[in-house]
Amino acid sequence: MPLVEQNAALLIELLSLKHQEDSYQIEVGITHSGGFTQQLLLIDEFTYLQMNSLGPFEGQRVRLSLYSKWDPFRRTYFSTLIKMNSTFSEPLYFACSEEYVSQLLQFKQQHPPPEEVRTVQAELPSEENQPVKRRKDALRLARPIVLRYVLFSLLFVLFFLRMDDQLLNSAEAHENFIRPDEAAGKPVSATHAPEIQVASLHSEQDEVLPEPKPERSANPEQSAKPEQSAEPKPKQLPEPKPEQTQVPEQAPEKVEAAQAQSPLVELLELDGSRYEYSLAKGYVALSFDDGPSEYTRQIVDILQEHGVAANFLFIGQNAKQHPDEVRYAAEHGMPVGSHSWDHSEMTKNSIEENRTNLARSIRELEQTTGEPVTVFRPPYGAINSKLAAEAGRQHLKVLLWNRDPEDWKVNTAEQILHYFHNTDPSGGIYLLHEKAITVKALPEIIDYLKSKKLKFAILK
């Protein structure tokens, strides 16, 4: 069964905050399943001053939340932005106007989220409900002074806790990682900071036929740019140079063998014309980032023991240090994809830097496994049109996610399991990492997903 058509999955980044004469503007970058666009919005002075007070933003990425909350005590709306750099992420709250809230609603109406996410989003109070809240506020003010302040403090804390819960999905966080030029020969280790990811769905009528896979030239600059149609024709590539290693055109035997061994596993073809965030109902996919590592074999063994499979997105520099783990995953039917060479934030790189980065990671993985690499997950989930175009030139399809248990920051396996038990797994692509705590939780995760009668998808 093919993947289904998605609506746009919004991820909004604040690019600039400007005051020009009598107008106030914000420039935002919008990443969705159809690509990346930029948009200029006019905002009111009150919201501008509130957002500007949280600066400066230089040297940091800033994600905007699409959700707001009415504070009955301050009688204003609040929204959230998340400041991120290479070492931390920080959610910050700011007061905003009703006009700004209306603009957020327009974004959500233009890009509606899927049902399973929509049920947990906050709803703005209707006009007819607000008079009731005001009467309750008046009654509270009439109570004794001490009781009023105690109650106020309690509700204020609960309000911010609930705001935190409504940041529906997160993307990978940043962490200090070891760059090749800083510590040559050492594996890269990266943790992740939350950013907003909203799941999106396909239309069930959109049938994606298996596309023929062209041969890859070992030199990515010789590769032809892929066509953006639903059923691309095979592309004629130049012959590789004699000294280059030619990768086999297709080597699906190991993946197909994994399917044949278990009726729970099905291979799905990705559509390279868009970013993939989600699956059809009845399917679920597990994916593991930041390997290979000392935990790769344990994860593969657990998956095999339970008769399922998963995608592994390997960092090229780590793969160079742990080639046996890369081969072990591939030989046991686990699709291997690229997670870049060094886990750098590739949207800040030049086109040439990204070309070299992707080519280097692909070459390392293909020479180790003897199979073509066709799937790419950008570090931190950060992608723009230039990076997407370069990935396409190197015959890579972009795989993102719509379920994030944030296993990189939890303290116990129970916290990971709590996330799985409190989200709808159907249609989910789960983002996991090669961590000891994830290995501990994995058997129960698989048992839970099996109990939901879901088919495990592996993506190529």
Side-chain angles (χ1 to χ4, degrees), residues 173-230:
H174 299 256
E175 177 195 50
N176 289 327
F177 52 87
I178 302 172
R179 296 293 296 267
D181 53 352
E182 295 173 343
K186 293 185 180 179
V188 175
S189 174
T191 52
H192 308 272
E195 60 185 43
I196 304 163
Q197 285 281 348
V198 182
S200 61
L201 301 176
H202 296 279
S203 160
E204 298 212 4
Q205 298 176 349
D206 183 20
E207 293 290 330
V208 180
L209 299 177
E211 59 177 295
K213 297 184 180 178
E215 288 190 341
R216 185 200 312 281
S217 170
N219 187 346
E221 298 186 44
Q222 295 177 345
S223 301
K225 183 176 182 180
E227 298 177 2
Q228 296 297 322
S229 61

Side-chain angles (χ1 to χ4, degrees), residues 216-221 243-247 314-317 319-320 326 336-338 340-341 355-374 394 396:
R216 185 200 312 281
S217 170
N219 187 346
E221 298 186 44
E243 69 272 18
Q244 294 173 328
T245 301
Q246 181 69 19
V247 177
F314 287 150
I315 297 171
Q317 189 174 342
K320 186 175 183 178
V326 177
V336 170
S338 170
S340 82
W341 172 256
R355 179 169 300 155
T356 302
N357 190 306
L358 286 174
R360 195 175 181 188
S361 71
I362 292 169
R363 183 168 58 250
E364 184 67 38
L365 294 172
E366 290 182 341
Q367 287 179 349
T368 303
T369 65
E371 300 178 10
V373 172
T374 60
Q394 301 199 34
L396 297 172

Side-chain angles (χ1 to χ4, degrees), residues 211 269-272 374-376 391 395-399 460:
E211 59 177 295
E269 292 281 345
L270 294 174
D271 180 354
T374 60
V375 177
F376 168 58
H395 306 287
L396 297 172
K397 299 175 183 180
V398 177
L399 174 63
K460 293 285 280 185

Side-chain angles (χ1 to χ4, degrees), residues 122-365:
E123 296 182 357
L124 297 177
S126 64
E127 292 296 326
E128 58 189 24
N129 288 335
Q130 289 190 22
V132 177
K133 292 184 177 180
R134 293 191 184 101
R135 286 196 295 273
K136 290 182 178 179
D137 295 340
L139 290 175
R140 291 191 184 99
L141 293 173
R143 293 177 183 174
I145 295 297
V146 175
L147 179 60
R148 185 184 67 172
Y149 279 105
V150 171
L151 184 60
F152 172 84
S153 301
L154 215 56
L155 290 175
F156 196 73
V157 171
L158 288 174
F159 158 68
F160 281 107
L161 288 175
R162 290 183 63 190
M163 282 289 289
D164 282 338
D165 288 339
Q166 289 166 353
L167 298 176
L168 299 174
N169 290 320
S170 63
E172 295 176 90
H174 299 256
E175 177 195 50
N176 289 327
F177 52 87
I178 302 172
R179 296 293 296 267
D181 53 352
E182 295 173 343
K186 293 185 180 179
V188 175
S189 174
T191 52
H192 308 272
E195 60 185 43
I196 304 163
Q197 285 281 348
V198 182
S200 61
L201 301 176
H202 296 279
S203 160
E204 298 212 4
Q205 298 176 349
D206 183 20
E207 293 290 330
V208 180
L209 299 177
E211 59 177 295
K213 297 184 180 178
E215 288 190 341
R216 185 200 312 281
S217 170
N219 187 346
E221 298 186 44
Q222 295 177 345
S223 301
K225 183 176 182 180
E227 298 177 2
Q228 296 297 322
S229 61
E231 299 179 6
K233 297 179 180 179
K235 289 167 267 299
Q236 297 296 323
L237 300 180
E239 291 296 325
K241 296 179 181 180
E243 69 272 18
Q244 294 173 328
T245 301
Q246 181 69 19
V247 177
E249 179 180 357
Q250 285 184 323
E253 295 84 359
K254 294 173 184 175
V255 173
E256 290 175 354
Q259 276 187 265
Q261 291 170 9
S262 173
L264 296 174
V265 179
E266 183 171 334
L267 172 65
L268 299 182
E269 292 281 345
L270 294 174
D271 180 354
S273 66
R274 57 178 175 252
Y275 312 149
E276 295 299 346
Y277 287 86
S278 63
L279 302 175
K281 289 291 186 181
Y283 285 80
V284 68
L286 300 178
S287 60
F288 294 87
D289 284 12
D290 296 352
S293 70
E294 59 185 302
Y295 304 111
T296 303
R297 289 176 181 254
Q298 295 179 57
I299 294 170
V300 171
D301 288 344
I302 292 171
L303 293 169
Q304 284 247 297
E305 288 168 8
H306 288 78
V308 299
N311 283 74
F312 285 77
L313 290 309
F314 287 150
I315 297 171
Q317 189 174 342
N318 287 355
K320 186 175 183 178
Q321 296 298 313
H322 302 284
D324 291 341
E325 280 68 24
V326 177
R327 276 189 290 270
Y328 192 82
E331 289 170 357
H332 288 79
M334 308 298 163
V336 170
S338 170
H339 197 36
S340 82
W341 172 256
D342 56 4
H343 209 279
S344 61
E345 189 173 335
M346 300 180 73
T347 53
K348 293 184 177 179
N349 294 344
S350 67
I351 294 176
E352 186 59 38
E353 286 173 332
N354 283 338
R355 179 169 300 155
T356 302
N357 190 306
L358 286 174
R360 195 175 181 188
S361 71
I362 292 169
R363 183 168 58 250
E364 184 67 38
L365 294 172

